[in-house]
């Protein structure tokens, strides 16, 4: 009995004297460890007359609980003291605002990574070409001859050298097909430039992502399935789509893929100009003249192409209603995403 009382007092004094957490742990080992004082008491139990064993065991257990409580209480005190010391030393300023803006990738980069990942899964490669092009790659080989009115559609900038800041990524189709033998599956994301008046839906420097699939016996069905899969992946749900006939000199037939307006869900609003649909991906079956211009026989090879307005896709994905916001560095936008 006196042993128990003495051990308790010792433990209380020792925990109170422990000046830091390491010293406190040594106290724990001394009393509660395998070779500690409390364990030693338990070992004595066997030597007691049977009728005393139970009562003694209960007392030792109670002692163990008390010692543990001393340890816990001292631990709290020491932790608090350590925190106070940090504050006193002035290492920590608790008045600083806690909500910090952490870094993040730009929404355009995020969507680009997703598009690349999606097409990698379908066996496509990422191709690239120069941003400063010549008329052959930007126009002629794409079945848009000089003096053809279709050239006007592209609001082209011309450098004094006569070169062209590319008006679309379709030039990468030509560069790829010139240099390589089909079958081909590529996407080509990149910057394009047009002499546009800048507004909520137009920029003079913007991003597109071209796609090109050349093989044998490719059909509009392949085109349709590929682009519907892409839109579903990007929008995150099976958004209703429709294909409309459209004219682009480098495809025949040419099509525009629309998705149901994500803002009004098809009922009509100012963003979809009350049509309920938003145009997202111009596309079509590669024109035989384009294959020929690159040295391939259109009777042997055919395929589809598409040229998605990339910034537009990012806007739709994140519900942003003004293209300029993607470039104005407004952190509110980032926070919203
Ligand atoms: N290059 C076209 C543009 O910028 C978009 C386009 C339409 C690309 C149809 C294509 C396509 O590959 O097949 O307006």
């Amino acid at each position: 009995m006196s042993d128990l009382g003495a051990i308790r007092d010792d433990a209380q004094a020792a925990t109170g004297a422990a000046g830091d957490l390491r010293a406190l742990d040594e106290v724990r080992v001394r009393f509660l460890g395998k070779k500690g004082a409390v364990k030693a008491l338990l070992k004595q139990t066997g030597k007691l007359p049977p009728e005393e064993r139970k009562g003694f065991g209960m007392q030792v257990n109670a002692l163990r609980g008390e010692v543990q409580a001393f340890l816990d209480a001292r631990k709290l005190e020491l932790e608090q003291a350590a925190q106070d010391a940090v504050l006193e030393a002035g290492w920590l300023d608790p008045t600083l605002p806690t909500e910090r803006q952490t870094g993040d990738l730009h929404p355009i980069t995020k969507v680009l990574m997703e598009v690349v990942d999606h097409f990698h899964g379908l066996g496509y490669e990422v191709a690239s070409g120069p941003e400063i092009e010549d008329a052959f790659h930007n126009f002629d080989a794409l079945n848009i001859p000089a003096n053809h009115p279709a050239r006007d559609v592209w609001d082209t900038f011309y450098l004094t050298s006569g070169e062209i800041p590319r008006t679309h990524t379709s030039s990468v189709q030509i560069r790829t097909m010139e240099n390589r033998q089909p079958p081909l599956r590529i996407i080509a994301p990149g910057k394009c430039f047009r002499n546009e008046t800048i507004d909520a839906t137009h920029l003079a420097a913007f991003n597109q992502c071209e796609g090109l699939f050349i093989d044998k016996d490719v059909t509009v069905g392949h085109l349709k399935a590929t682009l519907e899969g892409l839109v579903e992946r990007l929008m995150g749900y099976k958004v209703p789509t429709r294909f409309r006939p459209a004219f682009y000199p480098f495809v025949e037939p040419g099509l525009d893929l629309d998705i149901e307006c994500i803002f009004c869900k098809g009922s009509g609003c100012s963003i979809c100009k009350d049509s309920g649909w938003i145009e997202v991906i111009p596309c079509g079956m590669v024109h035989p003249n384009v294959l020929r211009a690159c040295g391939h026989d259109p009777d042997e090879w055919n395929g589809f192409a598409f040229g998605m307005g990339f910034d537009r896709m990012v806007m739709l994905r994140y519900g942003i209603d003004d293209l300029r916001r993607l470039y104005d560095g407004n952190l509110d936008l980032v926070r919203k995403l």
Side-chain angles (χ1 to χ4, degrees), residues 7-40:
I7 291 173
R8 178 191 175 284
D9 293 346
D10 270 4
Q12 190 171 25
T15 47
D20 57 30
L21 291 173
R22 183 184 296 191
L24 188 66
D25 199 55
E26 282 164 13
V27 175
R28 179 188 64 77
V29 172
R30 195 169 121 211
F31 289 92
L32 299 184
K34 273 194 204 130
K35 295 182 181 159
V38 174
K39 244 314 182 287

Side-chain angles (χ1 to χ4, degrees), residues 154 167-168 170 173 194 208 210-211 248 250-251 282-284 305-307:
W154 277 275
T167 58
H168 48 192
S170 300
Q173 288 187 35
R194 286 183 204 176
Q208 281 192 345
E210 197 76 11
Y248 301 99
F250 31 90
V251 281
C283 53
F306 58 91

Side-chain angles (χ1 to χ4, degrees), residues 32 44 59-60 79 89 99 129 177 227 238 265 291 333:
L32 299 184
Q44 292 175 17
Q59 280 174 325
V60 175
E79 282 171 351
E99 198 192 314
M177 284 193 281
L227 294 187
K238 230 180 170 40
K265 293 275 177 274
L291 287 159
L333 168 66

Side-chain angles (χ1 to χ4, degrees), residues 225-293:
T226 302
L227 294 187
E228 281 172 350
L230 173 65
V231 166
E232 184 178 343
R233 164 81 187 258
L234 285 182
M235 300 312 293
Y237 66 105
K238 230 180 170 40
V239 46
T241 54
R242 70 177 187 187
F243 285 83
R244 275 181 299 115
F247 173 71
Y248 301 99
F250 31 90
V251 281
E252 179 59 37
L255 301 164
D256 277 332
L257 166 59
D258 293 348
I259 62 170
E260 186 187 82
C261 177
I262 56 152
F263 296 97
C264 64
K265 293 275 177 274
S267 61
C269 67
S270 62
I271 292 175
C272 62
K273 302 200 182 73
D274 280 327
S275 70
W277 296 92
I278 297 185
E279 184 188 318
V280 286
I281 310 181
C283 53
M285 303 305 288
V286 176
H287 197 290
N289 288 349
V290 175
L291 287 159
R292 263 184 224 114

